[in-house]
Amino acid sequence: MSAAWIDTLLGRLAARDVHLREEPAPGLAPARLFTAKTDDWGALAHETRNLECRWVAGFGEDAGDYILMNTVFEKDGAYLVARTQVKRAMPFLPSHTPYYPGADRPERHIQDMLGVAFTNHPDPRRWTRHQAWRDADCPLRKDFPVAGRMTGPTPPDDTYKFLYAQGAGVYEIPVGPIHAGTIEPGHFRFQAVGETVLNLEEHLGYTHKGIEKIAEGRDADGLARLASRVSGDSTVAHAWAACMAMERAAGIDVPARALYLRAIMSERERVANHLGDIGMVLNDVAFTFGFYQFSRLREDWQRLSREALGHRFMMDRVVPGGVAANLTDQMAIAMQAQIAAMRPEIENLMGIADDTASVEDRLVTTGYLAPETAKAYGALGYVGKASGHGFDARRNAPYAPYDQLHVEVPVYQYGDVAARVKVRAQEVLISFGLLDKLLTSLPDSPLRANWKTPAAGAEGLGIVESWRGEIVTYVRFGADGKIARFFPRDPSWTTWQGLEKCIRDNIVPDFPVCNKSINGSYSGHDL
Amino acid sequence: MLRILAKIQKIGIVTEPLPKIDEPVLQQVGEQLKAKVGELFGGSLAIRQVDAGSCNGCELEINALGNPYYGIERFGVHFVASPRHADMLLVTGPVSRHMEAALKRAYDATPEPKLVIAVGECGACGGEFGVSYASCGAVANVVPVDGVIRGCPPTPLDLMRGILEAIGKFQAKRP
């Protein structure tokens, strides 16, 4: 990790007569907080882009006469939080999207939720808002009631203006929000010629549950429960990121054993999801043998999670100050035995899949996401790693206990479905190694530190590598230890746009396998 | 090919009745389910699953019903792609306001007997999300519900029991 780039950035900005001011923000550390003038917001993104910083997350907060706007940048494992104020009466702000295509939807989300207008945004269409609240309403403004202002049934959202294509033989395929399988809802609009996809446009937001709004006023335990359900498949990682943010805001040190148990649960979550999804990808190309084998391994894995930690997903086991589950020596040994048995099985099964011509034919070159496209969107996790970008918070910005461990990160340039599957299979084996180390060196300590009510206004940032990639969670406390603002940035924000691009020029029947290979969270994105 | 066959032979059939944790026997629930499905649905119960706004936890457990341990299809239960082919809707919640119209349309498209099961704490009562500007809460707030399967998320075995219970109630209700 190196923060040297921040000085370079400040220098380049100063040369443009743009001056950032560093503010003390202990809860955001190791990230550093800088404030900027509203008019300089665009120049800031221009210079961070020139320095090849990653645009990590953007979020706003109603602060009365002003709306506080934040963007998080990262380079070389060092984070910078930039903050500015826009007047509530005149909420205009230069957009970051011209410099960072990945800022497109986050800014439109802020526009829909807080009523901030991004002046040079290339696509001012609504994004998160369908028909559940009016254009003039902003759910995250403090004067908007949590119950909303609409009565009666919510009309269907049939007025969203999709891009369209014209020409002989061009046709559209609307898919969703309810999909054919047991998966989350969202709308996909394809333009195709014959079997070839010309363009795909996503329309998400169907699972918007008002998470940011209903977080307000909760206590720390209540926020951890909500964070556990931002995306059920990433329950451990989201709860960890939220708790880390709250603990930093409150200045609480988490006991060593609790940190190890969090990492054990997080790696178990990674393995379970990778195993399940590799099986699903193989199922989507009609290699049902692979599907049944990997779903069997996933079930074995989840059963031991339940036996050892009390829940198949380890939901609500990460709590403010520590963990709500312990691991007996006997169960730690059982976990190691399971890893020892599963490692050769996975190597064997991946070998079989690799040698099966029909699988190779369907996965190799399918759903190609070019490294430059992945970079433009800041694609995280296995999507980024399969397209040349190996950011992994466990290695690049390590947090305890990963600061004590060596995390290997597989990176490929191929960018296709096969590469994403390969990254995930390798991550399973790497997680096995990490689990072995964590289980053999599990320290003895209390499981949970006492909670301390943080001062009103205290803020915290939690950064955790989930199985999908880096989660960045912002928390601010109000009076009496109640939450005033909660924003969890799921990594799916950085990969959904990649799905739109990777499916172009592929055949329509390959969409399911492309989608599964990326597997964005709808719930984590729609919030 | 030989390696595939060797693997299949070595693993054998894992579909089995004994989860290690002291749960009642899967086989028993399954056989009851099969008998009921045979009696009431001609041996084949078609389910359309609708995610009306869930966190995806319930979906993962519903998907697990298809893994070789549970293999729910052997009991005559299968998942279909269209509500028009379904006897039952398995709905997870909370129902987001953005999914309200889609859920109602799926319900309208389902032929009789149109059994609806609300799955998970959120489907049952709104769970952590409750009712808000963005959420209708429980599935029953949007479409009529015949049965509820609680749990966050319910385990695959809970799901099988819940489906069995719901069709048992359906039988009791019939004239």
Side-chain angles (χ1 to χ4, degrees):
Chain A
M1 190 188 103
S2 165
W5 65 270
I6 293 181
D7 291 331
T8 313
L9 173 71
L10 295 176
R12 289 192 187 181
L13 285 168
R16 294 177 65 164
D17 202 25
V18 170
H19 302 281
L20 302 189
R21 202 170 70 193
E22 183 152 18
E23 309 278 350
L28 302 183
R32 289 164 64 185
L33 174 67
F34 289 85
T35 51
K37 289 191 195 125
T38 309
D39 292 344
D40 295 336
W41 200 242
L44 168 69
H46 188 189
E47 290 303 335
T48 54
R49 200 268 319 263
N50 288 345
L51 270 176
E52 300 196 3
C53 299
R54 186 164 57 92
W55 195 95
V56 176
F59 49 93
E61 182 181 3
D62 182 359
D65 291 339
Y66 291 93
I67 291 164
L68 288 181
M69 291 294 304
N70 303 275
T71 296
V72 184
F73 297 98
E74 180 273 338
K75 183 180 166 65
D76 302 335
Y79 290 83
L80 181 153
V81 180
R83 180 170 294 168
T84 191
Q85 297 183 330
V86 294
K87 287 190 187 122
R88 189 192 183 89
M90 221 178 58
F92 295 102
L93 189 66
S95 168
H96 285 176
T97 307
Y99 311 103
Y100 291 100
D104 180 312
R105 291 170 181 178
E107 287 187 339
R108 287 161 68 194
H109 175 73
I110 294 166
Q111 160 197 288
D112 291 357
M113 300 298 291
L114 270 162
V116 174
F118 292 91
T119 43
N120 49 344
H121 196 294
D123 181 1
R125 287 176 300 170
R126 58 193 167 78
W127 179 246
T128 306
R129 180 172 68 84
H130 292 191
Q131 303 295 330
W133 65 96
R134 293 169 308 183
D135 191 10
D137 281 332
C138 309
L140 284 179
R141 297 263 181 110
K142 300 288 185 195
D143 56 4
F144 182 86
V146 69
R149 294 195 175 112
M150 304 272 281
T151 51
T154 313
D157 190 26
D158 49 13
T159 57
Y160 188 75
K161 287 192 170 39
F162 289 96
L163 296 174
Y164 65 97
Q166 286 176 310
V170 178
Y171 65 101
E172 274 198 345
I173 314 170
V175 180
I178 300 177
H179 298 153
T182 300
I183 49 170
E184 298 181 84
H187 185 93
F188 299 118
R189 186 67 60 97
F190 296 91
Q191 273 97 25
V193 173
E195 291 235 303
T196 306
V197 176
L198 292 179
N199 192 49
L200 160 65
E201 192 178 1
E202 296 155 357
H203 182 211
L204 303 177
Y206 285 92
T207 69
H208 178 75
K209 296 185 275 289
I211 286 173
E212 291 169 271
K213 184 77 175 178
I214 63 172
E216 293 173 12
R218 285 181 176 236
D219 62 11
D221 286 346
L223 186 74
R225 280 199 310 279
L226 184 64
S228 297
R229 288 156 183 82
V230 166
S231 181
D233 47 38
S234 314
T235 176
V236 172
H238 267 291
W240 190 353
C243 287
M244 186 190 284
M246 291 193 285
E247 287 148 5
R248 285 176 174 171
I252 288 173
D253 288 324
V254 179
R257 188 176 180 87
L259 289 170
Y260 270 64
L261 287 171
R262 285 179 178 184
I264 287 168
M265 291 193 278
S266 180
E267 295 306 322
R268 288 194 71 83
E269 181 169 89
R270 187 180 325 278
V271 169
N273 282 291
H274 285 350
L275 290 177
D277 282 354
I278 292 171
M280 295 291 237
V281 165
L282 295 174
N283 196 45
D284 281 340
V285 296
F287 190 56
T288 47
F289 163 81
F291 168 67
Y292 285 113
Q293 294 296 337
F294 278 98
S295 65
R296 169 180 66 85
L297 295 175
R298 181 189 161 107
E299 179 69 20
D300 284 336
W301 191 257
Q302 278 191 282
R303 285 182 179 197
L304 188 56
S305 293
R306 183 182 184 182
E307 204 178 343
L309 296 153
H311 193 284
R312 285 165 60 89
F313 297 86
M314 300 160 289
M315 202 171 245
D316 297 324
R317 266 53 187 174
V318 178
V319 291
V323 292
N326 203 353
L327 196 61
T328 62
D329 291 347
Q330 188 200 349
M331 280 296 130
I333 292 164
M335 283 182 180
Q336 284 176 290
Q338 187 180 45
I339 288 167
M342 237 183 232
R343 189 180 278 132
E345 277 216 68
I346 287 165
E347 284 164 351
N348 173 244
L349 287 170
M350 288 311 293
I352 291 174
D354 279 347
D355 289 349
T356 305
S358 67
V359 172
E360 188 186 21
D361 180 48
R362 292 290 302 280
L363 301 190
V364 175
T365 73
T366 303
Y368 173 66
L369 182 66
E372 58 271 22
T373 314
K375 185 180 176 184
Y377 296 131
L380 292 164
Y382 46 83
V383 180
K385 290 166 191 169
S387 292
H389 301 286
F391 181 85
D392 188 311
R394 295 172 300 169
R395 178 190 65 178
N396 297 59
Y399 46 99
Y402 293 104
D403 52 351
Q404 307 292 324
L405 297 164
H406 169 72
V407 180
E408 201 187 318
V409 177
V411 179
Y412 294 95
Q413 306 291 331
Y414 308 113
D416 54 4
V417 173
R420 292 190 281 275
V421 169
K422 203 166 178 178
V423 168
R424 299 185 75 169
Q426 288 181 351
E427 285 199 341
V428 168
L429 299 175
I430 293 163
S431 286
F432 283 172
L434 292 170
L435 280 165
D436 264 334
K437 288 202 181 76
L438 291 160
L439 289 163
T440 45
S441 53
L442 194 57
D444 240 344
S445 83
L447 293 176
R448 196 172 179 182
N450 287 331
W451 182 247
K452 290 189 291 204
T453 303
E459 53 187 342
L461 199 64
I463 299 170
V464 164
E465 186 76 13
S466 77
W467 62 275
R468 278 198 184 92
E470 166 213 52
I471 292 174
V472 175
T473 296
Y474 175 81
V475 166
R476 185 197 290 282
F477 283 92
D480 307 324
K482 299 286 200 268
I483 300 298
R485 184 75 178 99
F486 169 56
F487 176 71
R489 202 280 280 117
D490 190 90
S492 306
W493 282 97
T494 72
T495 59
W496 273 116
Q497 287 168 296
L499 176 63
E500 283 185 345
K501 297 295 177 281
C502 88
I503 189 65
R504 282 188 186 167
D505 296 329
N506 282 250
I507 55 172
V508 176
D510 273 347
F511 178 68
V513 70
C514 291
N515 190 17
K516 200 69 208 176
S517 76
I518 289 180
N519 195 9
S521 166
Y522 298 69
S523 182
H525 164 280
D526 297 350
L527 258 46
Chain B
M1 197 64 212
L2 279 176
R3 283 160 73 196
I4 296 179
L5 293 173
K7 184 82 188 172
I8 291 171
Q9 194 195 18
K10 191 174 157 215
I11 297 295
I13 295 171
V14 296
T15 312
E16 42 92 16
L18 57 147
K20 267 197 214 147
I21 311 166
D22 56 341
E23 283 174 342
V25 179
L26 170 67
Q27 196 70 30
Q28 192 189 331
V29 177
E31 289 306 331
Q32 286 172 359
L33 191 55
K34 190 174 183 177
K36 280 268 185 271
V37 168
E39 196 182 326
L40 300 168
F41 295 92
S44 162
L45 173 69
I47 299 180
R48 168 68 243 202
Q49 196 272 341
V50 180
D51 175 339
S54 100
C55 76
N56 200 29
C58 290
E59 278 60 38
L60 288 172
E61 292 298 58
I62 293 168
N63 272 317
L65 290 171
N67 79 34
Y69 279 93
Y70 303 101
I72 196 168
E73 293 207 354
R74 71 200 151 115
F75 304 124
V77 179
H78 56 279
F79 288 84
V80 293
S82 169
R84 296 190 196 283
H85 303 156
D87 304 301
M88 173 186 282
L89 296 180
L90 206 55
V91 187
T92 61
V95 183
S96 68
R97 293 200 187 270
H98 291 171
M99 279 301 288
E100 193 180 341
L103 173 59
K104 280 184 186 152
R105 285 180 182 182
Y107 179 80
D108 290 342
T110 310
E112 293 296 331
K114 246 210 251 252
L115 294 177
V116 176
I117 304 187
V119 175
E121 287 306 303
C122 300
C125 67
E128 281 294 320
F129 303 99
V131 175
S132 74
Y133 80 92
S135 167
C136 304
V139 175
N141 294 344
V142 179
V143 294
V145 164
D146 300 283
V148 165
I149 305 175
R150 308 215 51 151
C152 189
T155 63
L157 201 58
D158 293 337
L159 288 163
M160 282 179 56
R161 279 207 204 91
I163 293 167
L164 175 64
E165 208 174 285
I167 59 177
K169 272 203 247 167
F170 162 66
Q171 183 183 31
K173 256 196 339 199
R174 278 200 318 182

